Amino acid sequence: MTIGSILRAKGPGVVAVGPKETLRDVARRLVSHRIGAVLVRDESGAVLGILSERDLVRAVAERGEAALIEPAEAVMTRDVVTVGLSTAVTEAMEIMTNKRFRHLPVMDSGKLVGLVSIGDLVKARIAEAEQEAEALRSFVVAG
């Protein structure tokens, strides 16, 4: 199973913010879309960084309510790790586990084509395990 198969089922939609949007606005966007991270993109659509709930919490914990008026670019992660459509789900899960983050932008030929979360990957792995179990049951019954 690949990241491309997950995106085909999930769709390519990505929620993004501009680098100057305030953390308050980013927080509102996360809540309204019920997501855990947004990409920070410039006017041309280039990915500048990624900003997660953890980044927001860290900023507020360190600087209090004043952090909420800071721009997204002040707290985003700039070195964004990405995967491709042909990346195996297990490889993406390993990247997330080793790097300790929960979201991966998906690139194809240098262009952003989607974003996957650890939840997307776990859901796909569970579905795959259920299919394998059903195939084994059918094999045993057919004997």
Side-chain angles (χ1 to χ4, degrees), residues 6 8 25 32 37 43 70 109 125 127 137 141:
I6 291 176
R8 280 190 294 281
D25 291 336
S32 70
E43 299 81 29
E70 292 179 19
S109 301
R125 289 290 290 150
R137 277 191 287 277
V141 169

Side-chain angles (χ1 to χ4, degrees), residues 6 10 96 102-104 115-122:
I6 291 176
K10 174 185 177 178
M96 289 179 165
R102 299 176 297 187
H103 300 85
L104 282 170
L115 181 75
V116 292
S117 71
I118 191 67
D120 297 328
L121 302 184
V122 168

Side-chain angles (χ1 to χ4, degrees), residues 69-138:
I69 61 171
E70 292 179 19
E73 65 187 350
V75 299
M76 69 184 184
T77 299
R78 293 176 186 278
D79 296 326
V80 180
V81 176
T82 65
V83 293
L85 292 170
S86 63
T87 303
V89 169
T90 53
E91 181 184 347
M93 291 177 90
E94 186 175 326
I95 291 168
M96 289 179 165
T97 300
N98 292 339
K99 302 278 187 183
R100 300 185 55 86
F101 50 70
R102 299 176 297 187
H103 300 85
L104 282 170
V106 182
M107 305 295 281
D108 185 34
S109 301
K111 180 182 173 199
L112 178 71
V113 294
L115 181 75
V116 292
S117 71
I118 191 67
D120 297 328
L121 302 184
V122 168
K123 180 180 174 183
R125 289 290 290 150
I126 289 171
E128 185 177 50
E130 288 173 347
Q131 289 173 350
E132 289 172 0
E134 183 56 37
L136 286 172
R137 277 191 287 277
S138 296

Side-chain angles (χ1 to χ4, degrees), residues 31-89:
V31 169
S32 70
H33 290 279
R34 299 181 63 158
I35 55 176
V38 294
L39 290 179
V40 181
R41 300 174 77 180
D42 66 15
E43 299 81 29
S44 70
V47 176
L48 303 175
I50 189 166
L51 201 155
S52 71
E53 294 167 318
R54 288 180 182 177
D55 298 321
L56 282 166
V57 168
R58 188 176 300 113
V60 171
E62 291 171 356
R63 296 182 292 288
E65 191 175 327
L68 296 175
I69 61 171
E70 292 179 19
E73 65 187 350
V75 299
M76 69 184 184
T77 299
R78 293 176 186 278
D79 296 326
V80 180
V81 176
T82 65
V83 293
L85 292 170
S86 63
T87 303
V89 169

Side-chain angles (χ1 to χ4, degrees), residues 4-23:
S5 63
I6 291 176
L7 282 185
R8 280 190 294 281
K10 174 185 177 178
V14 175
V15 177
V17 299
K20 302 296 183 195
E21 286 193 48
T22 66
L23 294 187

